[in-house]
Amino acid sequence: MVRTSAVVSRAIALLLAAGPHLGACKIWAQFCDDTSCTENCGQSVSVNDPGCLAAEYSRGSVKLHGSDFLGAYLVHSPDARCGCQADCTAIPGTGGPECIDLSAKAKSQSYRFQLTTCKEVEGGPGVGNNCPGTNP
């Protein structure tokens, strides 16, 4: 018989309960040049994909579309390959704004989405700005 701690059992129960909901999430993002999500918007990418979005140099906004979304975080990197985190933007879930202005954030060359928090001030285990010699 395998014994598990109460914490592990609770975590497994939460994952099993959320599993079908996470699979149903269909949210897409497009990076745009202006701050109102209307100019030169790129190809839609899945917010569930944690891969690096390179060559998105200093975009002004991100446009969201889709359904059944719980929220995510957008990590900003000053280099072209998501080498560090200079800033982070909380992306609200369904019912939040469809256009998020990025103009006040750290200038970035690459971005990536993640489902867990990325800034200490948001209460998570994140590191905030971990890029040497940069300030957002």
Side-chain angles (χ1 to χ4, degrees):
M1 180 161 99
V2 176
R3 302 182 97 194
T4 59
S5 73
V7 172
V8 171
S9 296
R10 179 73 177 139
I12 291 169
L14 287 171
L15 285 173
L16 290 173
H21 185 75
L22 291 175
C25 177
K26 293 179 180 77
I27 191 75
W28 303 91
Q30 291 175 276
F31 290 90
C32 305
D33 285 347
D34 65 334
T35 59
S36 58
C37 296
T38 59
E39 295 178 14
N40 195 30
C41 297
Q43 181 177 1
S44 293
V45 294
S46 173
V47 172
N48 287 333
D49 184 348
C52 183
L53 301 165
E56 295 292 346
Y57 305 102
S58 298
R59 293 297 209 139
S61 60
V62 62
K63 181 179 186 177
L64 303 167
H65 54 98
S67 62
D68 197 23
F69 179 54
L70 297 175
Y73 295 87
L74 178 64
V75 175
H76 305 248
S77 297
D79 65 17
R81 60 191 192 294
C82 299
C84 62
Q85 173 182 311
D87 208 343
C88 178
T89 301
I91 306 292
T94 302
E98 293 179 5
C99 180
I100 301 198
D101 180 352
L102 300 176
S103 63
K105 295 293 186 173
K107 295 299 177 198
S108 303
Q109 292 186 30
S110 60
Y111 301 89
R112 66 181 170 80
F113 290 99
Q114 65 184 40
L115 299 179
T116 57
T117 189
C118 52
K119 298 271 284 197
E120 291 171 313
V121 295
E122 293 169 341
V127 295
N129 181 353
N130 65 8
C131 298
T134 64
N135 279 323

